[in-house]
Amino acid sequence: MKRAKPLSDYLVALADDELILGHRDSEWTGHAPILEEDIAFANFALDEIGHARLWYELAADELGADRSRFPDQQVYFRPAPDWRCLQLVELPKGDWAFSMLRQYLFDSFEKFRLEGLVASSNKPMADVAARIRNEELYHQRHTQAWVPRLGQGTDESHRRMQAALDELWPYAQALSAPLPGELELIGVVPKSSELFEKWKDEVTKFLSKSSLEIPITTTRVDVDRAVHSEYFPALIADLQEVAQADPQAQW
Amino acid sequence: MIANGRGEVASPTIPIDQIWSALAEVPDPEMPFVNLVELGIVREVEWLGGTLQVTITPTFAACPAYEVMGSNIEGRLHKLGIGNVKVLIRHHPTWTSEWITDVARAKLKTAGLAPPPHHSGNLIQVLLDPVACPHCGSTNTSLRNGFGTTPCRMIYTCNDCKEPFEQFKPL
């Protein structure tokens, strides 16, 4: 059966990934190991949430919804089962190595997807992708400096990075699965399976140069974005609690 | 209605140049030594019936200052006697630091903020170039953090005069 709204489904999934990753990043504010990284993660969070808003606004245009209200409605009033983010971004922030490596893995994949979207025949989507791509250069520069530094640093930093990679790698495999609506949008959006191959090639080399070993994946992680991790309901409860306490409040 | 050659249509009562001059008095909320016109944030001014529409493009997508910018723009134009002002946020074309005027770049430097280098689209290359200290001019400087106190700034230290400084990010 053909989906009613493949493009808005696709855009909401893109936005959900950014929003939830941004939320996890924000949990470092006031808790990062050094002040510079507190600032860096707060900036990651701000950027990702800002990028989520751009994608939600495009989805609103596609649905004929009010773009000034749609992002808040989606973020603060949508039940957990209706979100379409990857479990990769839902996982708790872990230690700082874990959050840094997750950011690296996600942003590296996003770089390839944005390159594909910049070339899209859908002009509004290509415009937003171009905007996000430039800002993401600063994320990539930061994570690409820290991943090798930690991977080749002290015994402890190496141990923490390898443990992070062992845990994240199975979840990252879900990046290869098509986003909601993607299969109906062939020719308009890049194929996740193709992006995944490029991504895997790049990160495998980079991680290896960072003295980190790609684990042999044994854990199977559900690639269906309608299936969430055990951590997600608590995250959504935390995210939505204040807004739902008084939905009519003016901020 | 009078077309002024810049693509805008002016109200017959208030010359469009006067509106632009007023907008050039609206400071950036975080960097009050530069204004929103010379930063390239104010893009267009247009009369839509009895309403003046001002189109702005935020520097970074997540810039938290744009709502304040909007209300400051409205406030300044109300003072000019324009009652109905609508501030439109537009993200496309994407804001680029290439839109910052030379005058604004000089003001940034005077205030101790290294201006963004010109990059003509090649951001990756320009991020590798040395950044001159706005205090002593030395290019013997080190990046301390690719992120700073606002989304559009990052932090350096000068290895010669030993002063820390921020750079407005090229974008």
Side-chain angles (χ1 to χ4, degrees):
Chain A
M1 200 179 92
K2 201 168 161 61
R3 303 174 78 97
K5 296 275 181 194
L7 186 54
S8 60
D9 287 353
Y10 183 87
L11 292 164
V12 167
L14 285 183
D16 286 356
D17 276 351
E18 305 256 35
L19 197 286
I20 298 302
L21 181 60
H23 181 81
R24 286 301 191 204
D25 287 338
S26 78
E27 293 175 337
W28 282 107
T29 308
H31 298 278
I34 51 173
L35 180 60
E36 282 81 356
E37 288 310 308
D38 214 288
I39 294 169
F41 270 85
N43 272 276
F44 283 156
L46 188 62
D47 287 343
E48 302 299 8
I49 293 169
H51 299 165
R53 181 166 60 191
L54 294 178
W55 292 130
Y56 286 130
E57 285 172 351
L58 272 195
D61 294 348
E62 187 62 20
L63 291 166
D66 178 353
R67 59 157 41 216
S68 68
R69 295 170 52 92
F70 188 77
D72 278 1
Q73 286 166 352
Q74 292 298 299
V75 174
Y76 293 127
F77 299 100
R78 188 165 36 137
D82 295 348
W83 285 68
R84 292 294 176 265
C85 46
L86 287 168
Q87 293 189 26
L88 175 70
V89 296
E90 297 173 5
L91 299 175
K93 74 181 195 302
D95 62 12
W96 186 61
F98 184 89
S99 280
M100 184 61 79
L101 187 65
R102 169 167 57 190
Q103 193 75 35
Y104 165 72
L105 294 173
F106 182 86
D107 284 344
S108 309
F109 187 87
E110 191 186 18
K111 174 188 71 178
F112 288 117
R113 180 149 56 209
L114 290 170
E115 280 172 10
L117 291 174
V118 164
S120 174
S121 56
N122 181 306
K123 180 75 166 58
M125 199 153 63
D127 284 342
V128 168
R131 161 140 226 163
I132 296 176
R133 183 181 57 171
N134 288 353
E135 297 186 11
E136 286 288 336
L137 284 175
Y138 288 96
H139 293 201
Q140 288 152 27
R141 183 168 70 152
H142 198 73
T143 58
Q144 285 173 11
W146 274 107
V147 167
R149 205 178 278 161
L150 293 172
Q152 300 172 333
T154 63
D155 287 347
E156 185 187 357
S157 73
H158 175 79
R159 175 174 53 75
R160 286 174 182 261
M161 282 299 270
Q162 186 61 54
L165 183 56
D166 291 347
E167 189 177 346
L168 285 163
W169 193 250
Y171 287 94
Q173 305 309 301
L175 288 164
S176 64
L179 271 70
E182 182 181 313
L183 301 178
E184 287 90 335
L185 295 166
I186 288 172
V188 181
V189 301
K191 277 189 191 164
S192 292
S193 56
E194 289 176 9
L195 300 176
F196 185 79
E197 292 309 315
K198 286 193 229 174
W199 169 85
K200 195 174 172 183
D201 186 50
E202 181 180 284
V203 300
T204 300
K205 286 179 188 149
F206 190 78
L207 292 170
S208 169
K209 275 201 291 188
S210 305
S211 305
L212 295 166
E213 201 174 317
I214 301 288
I216 298 155
T217 315
T218 49
T219 323
R220 284 184 60 84
V221 172
D222 211 311
V223 298
D224 182 352
R225 285 172 174 255
V227 178
H228 295 282
S229 66
E230 65 185 285
Y231 312 104
F232 194 57
L235 182 156
I236 289 297
D238 189 33
L239 176 63
Q240 298 182 338
E241 184 185 6
V242 175
Q244 294 201 358
D246 183 358
Q248 304 307 317
Q250 296 291 313
W251 298 89
Chain B
M1 304 291 262
I2 305 155
N4 74 345
R6 287 169 80 167
E8 304 102 2
V9 178
S11 153
T13 50
I14 300 176
I16 205 84
D17 286 348
Q18 207 176 323
I19 293 169
W20 278 100
S21 301
L23 289 170
E25 289 170 15
V26 182
D28 179 88
E30 293 285 349
M31 299 172 288
F33 40 86
V34 282
N35 70 63
L36 299 183
V37 174
E38 62 196 358
L39 284 176
I41 291 169
V42 180
R43 305 309 304 159
E44 277 175 23
V45 176
E46 189 181 9
W47 284 101
L48 298 175
T51 299
L52 186 71
Q53 179 173 283
V54 180
T55 304
I56 66 171
T57 299
T59 53
F60 274 66
C63 176
Y66 74 84
E67 287 183 18
V68 178
M69 291 175 184
S71 59
N72 291 349
I73 286 170
E74 285 176 14
R76 182 63 191 87
L77 294 174
H78 289 332
K79 260 176 43 185
L80 197 63
I82 302 169
N84 296 323
V85 178
K86 184 182 171 218
V87 177
L88 183 76
I89 312 289
R90 188 177 68 191
H91 285 281
H92 324 293
T94 297
W95 185 88
T96 161
S97 52
E98 299 293 83
W99 290 349
I100 301 176
T101 66
D102 287 342
V103 172
R105 284 164 196 271
K107 289 182 190 172
L108 289 170
K109 200 174 162 195
T110 305
L113 254 162
H118 286 290
H119 58 77
S120 45
N122 193 347
L123 265 180
I124 295 174
Q125 178 54 46
V126 89
L127 285 176
L128 301 172
D129 292 341
V131 174
C133 170
H135 305 294
C136 73
S138 166
T139 52
N140 179 17
T141 58
S142 304
L143 177 68
R144 287 286 167 233
N145 194 356
F147 299 93
T149 52
T150 71
C152 56
R153 295 191 240 173
M154 50 187 165
I155 303 170
Y156 285 81
T157 306
C158 177
N159 298 320
D160 285 336
C161 76
K162 311 294 182 194
E163 286 288 331
F165 65 91
E166 287 189 302
Q167 185 196 30
F168 198 117
K169 286 179 187 168
L171 192 69

